[in-house]
Amino acid sequence: MLRTLPRTLIDPILVRALEEDLGAGDITTEACVAEGQHAVARGVARKELVWCGAEVARRVFELVDPSLHFEAMAADGAKVMRSTTLFSVKGSARAILMGERVALNFVQRMSGVATATRRYVDALPAASATRITDTRKTTPGLRLLERYAVRQGGGFNHRWDLGSAVLIKDNHIVAAGGVRAAIEAARMRAPHTSRIECEVDSLDQLKEALDARADIVLLDNMDTSTVQEAVRLTRGRAVLEASGGITFERVAELARAGVDAISVGALTHAAPAVDIGLDFEP
């Protein structure tokens, strides 16, 4: 669970972004803004959204100029209306302008992921125990931030990386010689603390995975009636995850079918950045 964003992990991401934007300086700001000029700026939501990234924005401005004063006006995970002030930053006008774009790029992206996640979570039937989870379809280098945003939107995180859990997919099955062979080989190699998850794309494969005692079965690209039959066949013997081609409109029917989790790549690979602006006070 990503409840916080440790600076030791986020600083390298933010420093790279600042170097990318400020490597040659900021000739516009240096030409137009006096060196000692003071300013107050406010981060404002331009539309209704789920806010995420307060500490990231704070740290961007601190890295540009430690003397800047940043104040968060809304907590991560809060659903806010248009025109809500999300944060303020005070101090050197030059420093604020130099950090503006990088800070906004991060919080627009993270708030976009959190907003998309909340939409999927809100689509679950009332009192549903089904989880909405992300996938590894994250922006290279930004997985830490995007997965934190999923949590703030009310979703859950899937395995962190290839070394954190066993997930046997279609190409593993082909290479191993079948579902049972892949599961048995994985069980021989995996730590005793690791559960075995196997992807299946048919009810026959599901039966084979259950016979091989898979702990979790991923139902890949199955229509709702097939998912319902998969739940009936499984009878609680394994955790069931629906994945592949998941649209917002299918969330409720899949949850009612009885799956334990619905993994949605779109939470991170297709969530649009939301509109957040930084406004200088006159």
Side-chain angles (χ1 to χ4, degrees), residues 15-248:
V15 168
R16 282 197 299 271
L18 286 167
E19 289 173 344
E20 184 177 62
D21 214 31
L22 289 171
D26 181 351
I27 59 175
T28 307
T29 295
E30 291 166 0
C32 299
V33 181
E35 187 172 353
Q37 186 172 337
H38 183 88
V40 178
R42 298 186 182 277
V44 179
R46 303 287 197 227
K47 60 180 289 186
E48 183 179 307
L49 53 86
V50 176
W51 165 238
C52 185
E55 291 308 306
V56 169
R58 180 195 304 275
R59 190 58 180 152
V60 167
F61 287 114
E62 286 178 350
L63 288 168
V64 173
D65 183 348
S67 71
L68 290 175
H69 177 73
F70 182 96
E71 183 179 1
M73 306 292 195
D76 283 357
K79 190 172 184 177
V80 302
M81 304 304 292
R82 180 180 179 181
S83 301
T84 299
T85 297
L86 304 168
F87 63 87
S88 69
V89 58
K90 306 174 184 178
S92 163
R94 281 190 172 188
I96 294 172
L97 287 164
M98 288 178 179
E100 173 184 4
R101 184 70 266 153
V102 171
L104 288 180
N105 282 350
F106 281 119
V107 298
Q108 287 174 338
R109 175 66 182 151
M110 293 174 71
S111 297
V113 171
T115 301
T117 302
R118 183 67 56 81
R119 184 168 180 256
Y120 277 84
V121 170
D122 287 348
L124 290 168
S128 172
T130 302
R131 291 185 171 192
I132 298 295
T133 80
D134 55 22
T135 70
R136 281 174 40 251
K137 296 175 183 177
T138 52
T139 306
L142 298 184
R143 181 170 297 174
L144 173 72
L145 304 184
E146 291 176 349
R147 288 199 146 175
Y148 172 81
V150 167
R151 296 288 306 187
Q152 296 306 310
F156 291 81
N157 300 138
H158 212 290
R159 60 173 178 164
W160 187 260
D161 54 29
L162 290 173
S164 62
V166 175
L167 174 46
I168 300 165
K169 297 182 72 68
D170 53 355
N171 286 332
H172 297 109
I173 292 170
V174 173
V179 168
R180 177 181 288 277
I183 292 172
E184 291 177 349
R187 183 169 288 108
M188 291 293 294
R189 177 68 182 270
H192 70 280
T193 54
S194 181
R195 295 195 290 180
I196 307 294
E197 180 169 12
C198 184
E199 174 184 286
V200 301
D201 57 19
S202 69
L203 294 178
D204 285 341
Q205 283 192 332
L206 169 64
K207 294 172 185 176
E208 191 176 355
L210 293 173
D211 288 343
R213 295 182 295 109
D215 301 295
I216 308 165
V217 180
L218 187 156
L219 308 174
D220 184 45
N221 282 294
M222 290 186 181
D223 60 35
T224 303
S225 62
T226 307
V227 169
Q228 291 171 331
E229 180 62 12
V231 172
R232 189 191 68 79
L233 288 170
T234 301
R235 299 191 304 278
R237 288 184 288 165
V239 172
L240 290 182
E241 172 188 343
S243 187
I246 303 297
T247 62
F248 171 76

